[in-house]
Amino acid sequence: MIADPAEQTSSEVPLAELSAVSRDYLKAIWSAGEWSTAKVTTSSLAEQLDVAPSTVSTNLRRLAERGLVIHQPYGGVRLTGSGTSAALAIIRRQRLFETFLVQEMGYGWHEVHDDATALASAASDRLIDYLDDRLGYPTRDPHGDPIPDPDGAVAPMTLISLSTCTTGDRGVITRIDDSDPAMLEYFDRVDLTLDQLVTVGATRPFAGTMSVSTEDGPTDIVLGDVAARSIWITRCDRT
Ligand SMILES: [Zn+2]
């Protein structure tokens, strides 16, 4: 999510000064714009954070007073420059801890979210730097989401949603939406994981399903539209 250049000059807010609720909102607003161009609104945030729209309005007003977000009734919610910096620092922490839990602690990729959030909010900057070094400076988390660097830079990724593919399209699974643990668990069960080359077989738009086959693993996995929308691929040439 890009803030107006004029807003980039606003001063940075130390993460330690932000409440857990503020962090959740900044993370949610930034994430909402990461893989979608849809406008972020009070109601979309209420749904995402599972709270009442009136609660969202109150919290957005507080964040706006601190210069972290701009909320225009018909223009949606945007992060300011300092809101973006804070959000990227929060996202970096979250994704480093997700990586740590999977890589070092043996968590499943569907189990990491809550513990990573708790650890990310408790960790000092020093621990985050140490963790980054210990993990070998990872650029992606276990779901393929980019990990912002210490300066908040995010490596650009050009991905397409599997749901937009047709029969014969091929691509490498590069990111899987991590918002639904049950879906991640399902992908585990059918052996779909990151960095697999998949080819789209039959598509059945009337039923909202498609079949995909992997290069060396399972074939003819039937995915519904919601599942296909969760998988993002780096496109390869058609077969
Ligand atoms: Zn993740």
Side-chain angles (χ1 to χ4, degrees), residues 94-95 98 109 112-113 141-145 176-178 184:
Q94 172 83 25
R95 292 181 180 171
E98 286 185 8
W109 65 352
V112 294
H113 186 268
D141 81 359
H143 312 102
D145 282 311
I176 294 191
D177 189 326
D178 66 358
L184 291 170

Side-chain angles (χ1 to χ4, degrees), residues 11-193:
S11 59
E12 288 194 13
V13 177
L15 286 192
E17 288 181 13
L18 295 173
S19 67
V21 171
S22 295
R23 290 171 183 232
D24 283 348
Y25 275 70
L26 295 174
K27 191 163 68 176
I29 296 164
W30 191 85
S31 302
E34 191 176 15
W35 298 102
S36 163
T37 52
K39 196 160 52 172
V40 182
T41 61
T42 305
S43 49
S44 70
L45 283 172
E47 196 183 323
Q48 195 182 340
L49 295 163
D50 200 19
V51 293
S54 58
T55 307
V56 174
S57 297
T58 304
N59 285 313
L60 286 177
R61 203 161 43 241
R62 288 194 189 122
L63 290 168
E65 281 164 11
R66 298 198 67 175
L68 294 164
V69 305
I70 294 172
H71 183 201
Q72 291 158 330
Y74 298 101
V77 182
R78 289 182 301 131
L79 294 170
T80 62
S82 51
T84 302
S85 299
L88 286 164
I90 295 162
I91 296 276
R92 169 174 161 76
R93 287 165 163 259
Q94 172 83 25
R95 292 181 180 171
L96 279 173
F97 271 111
E98 286 185 8
T99 307
F100 168 74
L101 291 173
V102 169
Q103 205 170 299
E104 306 284 324
M105 305 293 281
Y107 275 52
W109 65 352
H110 60 287
E111 299 172 314
V112 294
H113 186 268
D114 291 354
D115 282 345
T117 303
L119 290 163
S121 66
S124 65
D125 288 342
R126 181 164 169 253
L127 175 56
I128 295 299
D129 289 343
Y130 182 79
L131 190 63
D132 196 16
D133 178 62
R134 176 67 178 252
L135 295 169
Y137 305 101
T139 55
R140 291 191 304 161
D141 81 359
H143 312 102
D145 282 311
I147 300 175
D149 77 7
D151 298 323
V154 181
M157 295 169 98
T158 307
L159 306 182
I160 56 167
S161 171
L162 186 62
S163 63
T164 63
C165 294
T166 54
T167 305
D169 283 347
R170 293 197 314 153
V172 175
I173 298 179
T174 305
R175 175 194 179 244
I176 294 191
D177 189 326
D178 66 358
S179 53
D180 185 350
M183 180 105 65
L184 291 170
E185 222 179 338
Y186 172 74
F187 292 143
D188 248 356
R189 275 205 306 278
V190 296
D191 264 341
L192 273 183
T193 187

